[in-house]
Amino acid sequence: MQPIIVSLLIFLSLTLQAQKNIFIQPLGEVSTQVINVIKSSVEQFYGFNCIVKPKVNFTNEILADSRTRYEASRILKKYKSTENLLIITEKDIACEKGSIHEWGIFGLGYRPGVTCVVSTFRLKRNVSKDKFYDRVTKVCLHEIGHNLGLVHCNFDKKCMMNDARGKIKQVDQEKIWFCDNCKKNIGIH
Ligand SMILES: [Zn+2]
Ligand SMILES: [Zn+2]
């Protein structure tokens, strides 16, 4: 083999090794458009290679106690992964918050960790498709940010790592952007 080909192959294999994979796991029926939006925004923002898994079905063990929605921490526990995994569902998810037993949320992720879950349920009410996709993108990038070790941001209201506290208004005022402090904390530029 010629030296130039050998060095090209070494370069290629190093590049491939450097690119991290993230699996996208649809939980129940999730629209193909939503999956595609997530895939392209995660690839663009983090440079991950996204692999979409075949959907899995809901089971009773991940239901919240009211049985009207799903419990995010039970979902994370059941699907806890050793590789980067973003679980996406169209059904409502909740978690315990202070004295509230089932607090409806947009998403939840381990910090640090490799597993997070996002629900589109509370993101789609009364908005255009574009705005809905914008929200889905921000919430997914936020939860992956927690997996990468980021805490909630208090530096800039436009940063995606703000705590939305269940308020869609906060998500809407964010940009698809991390402030310098959050960028520095996960080493992206
Ligand atoms: Zn958060
Ligand atoms: Zn920030």
Side-chain angles (χ1 to χ4, degrees):
M1 222 186 286
Q2 294 193 355
I4 186 127
I5 297 175
V6 173
S7 54
L8 184 68
L9 285 176
I10 291 170
F11 170 76
L12 273 177
S13 70
L14 285 175
T15 315
L16 286 174
Q17 272 174 21
Q19 195 174 32
K20 274 203 203 166
N21 286 334
I22 182 162
F23 291 90
I24 299 178
Q25 175 67 75
L27 172 60
E29 215 53 68
V30 179
S31 99
T32 313
Q33 283 150 306
V34 167
I35 301 281
N36 289 339
V37 165
I38 295 171
K39 187 174 189 298
S40 68
S41 54
V42 170
E43 285 180 344
Q44 262 180 37
F45 192 82
Y46 287 114
F48 286 158
N49 176 42
C50 289
I51 303 150
V52 180
K53 292 187 155 205
K55 75 156 189 178
V56 288
N57 293 317
F58 294 101
T59 47
N60 286 342
E61 70 199 286
I62 55 172
L63 270 174
D65 292 343
S66 70
R67 303 183 80 82
T68 57
R69 50 184 141 195
Y70 292 88
E71 167 60 56
S73 56
R74 289 181 190 155
I75 296 173
L76 290 183
K77 217 164 119 193
K78 172 161 182 184
Y79 295 101
K80 191 171 181 178
S81 168
T82 51
E83 296 172 291
N84 296 313
L85 180 75
L86 166 67
I87 303 156
I88 177 87
T89 180
E90 293 187 358
K91 298 279 186 199
D92 199 15
I93 60 171
C95 71
E96 200 171 317
K97 193 185 186 203
S99 57
I100 305 167
H101 191 51
E102 283 179 29
W103 167 261
I105 53 171
F106 307 140
L108 190 71
Y110 287 117
R111 183 186 63 81
V114 291
T115 317
C116 59
V117 58
V118 169
S119 161
T120 63
F121 187 86
R122 289 165 187 269
L123 309 176
K124 63 171 67 159
R125 288 181 210 156
N126 308 322
V127 281
S128 67
K129 273 227 149 104
D130 282 349
K131 185 129 188 180
F132 168 57
Y133 294 153
D134 184 66
R135 290 171 172 178
V136 173
T137 297
K138 289 172 190 168
V139 175
C140 288
L141 299 178
H142 174 109
E143 297 310 333
I144 295 171
H146 281 316
N147 279 175
L148 297 173
L150 287 180
V151 292
H152 284 141
C153 176
N154 294 313
F155 289 88
D156 193 318
K157 280 285 170 202
K158 293 193 169 60
C159 174
M160 285 187 291
M161 286 314 295
N162 274 277
D163 185 354
R165 295 187 173 87
K167 299 257 187 322
I168 200 64
K169 246 175 93 179
Q170 171 56 39
V171 178
D172 286 341
Q173 67 173 305
E174 292 165 5
K175 295 192 285 182
I176 299 180
W177 171 81
F178 279 166
C179 72
D180 287 345
N181 190 66
C182 290
K183 275 187 207 157
K184 195 181 76 199
N185 286 343
I186 50 170
I188 60 171
H189 305 286

